[in-house]
Amino acid sequence: MTHSSISYLMLIGTGTLLPKKLPEMLTSCLLAMPIDCRLYMPPRAWTDDGERCLKAKVPAEEIVFRTKHELALEMVFRARENGVRFKWVGCDGFYGDNPDFVRTLADSGEQFMADIHCDHRIYLEDPKNKLLHATS
């Protein structure tokens, strides 16, 4: 049995979300260290196969599919609840391209810097509002 389809997300003390590339990221950050991690399990390969999860010693209460975005938000909010002080959250384009993820960060008052992919559209004003005014 291989565990290659499972990956980890880590939150380091600077408020940066790290997918998988921990060693190279830590060497470029001053005074950064892991403070939380979450196990990501794809639905078909893992969370839909409870027996496989139990064989791999995944706790029964953790055999629930959650997206990487949901896991990342859980880590940020848990860090805040536990009194971890950080000024901002940084994330790569996988997270930055997800509007629900960045909107949740913004709505919860977090300052963040999110990379986005080069073809990501940016609107200076909410396009829904312009559409509403044009049809009225």
Side-chain angles (χ1 to χ4, degrees):
M1 171 171 49
T2 67
H3 300 276
S4 60
S5 60
I6 293 180
S7 60
Y8 289 89
L9 296 172
M10 294 195 147
L11 181 67
I12 60 171
T14 59
T16 302
L17 294 169
L18 299 178
K20 297 183 237 169
K21 298 181 181 174
L22 181 65
E24 44 191 88
M25 292 295 290
L26 285 181
T27 58
S28 65
C29 299
L30 294 176
L31 302 173
M33 58 189 245
I35 58 171
D36 197 352
C37 69
R38 294 284 192 277
L39 180 65
Y40 171 74
M41 297 182 296
R44 284 178 285 244
W46 285 93
T47 55
D48 292 348
D49 187 351
E51 188 176 317
R52 181 181 188 191
C53 289
L54 293 173
K55 276 186 182 177
K57 306 231 186 285
V58 176
E61 65 274 7
E62 291 294 320
I63 305 174
V64 176
F65 176 71
R66 291 179 305 220
T67 67
K68 290 181 179 182
H69 302 98
E70 291 169 329
L71 295 170
L73 289 169
E74 284 178 18
M75 291 191 301
V76 171
F77 298 147
R78 182 174 180 183
R80 284 285 184 218
E81 289 170 10
N82 289 336
V84 176
R85 295 180 304 179
F86 52 92
K87 292 181 181 180
W88 55 278
V89 175
C91 58
D92 66 16
F94 174 78
Y95 299 94
D97 270 358
N98 183 294
D100 292 332
F101 177 79
V102 294
R103 216 172 274 125
T104 301
L105 284 176
D107 291 348
S108 62
E110 292 294 342
Q111 290 192 19
F112 60 92
M113 186 192 77
D115 290 346
I116 56 172
H117 296 140
C118 63
D119 59 351
H120 187 92
R121 290 189 176 181
I122 301 292
Y123 297 94
L124 298 178
E125 296 178 27
D126 188 347
K128 291 179 192 171
N129 290 339
K130 286 196 178 244
L131 188 60
L132 288 174
H133 293 299
T135 57
S136 344

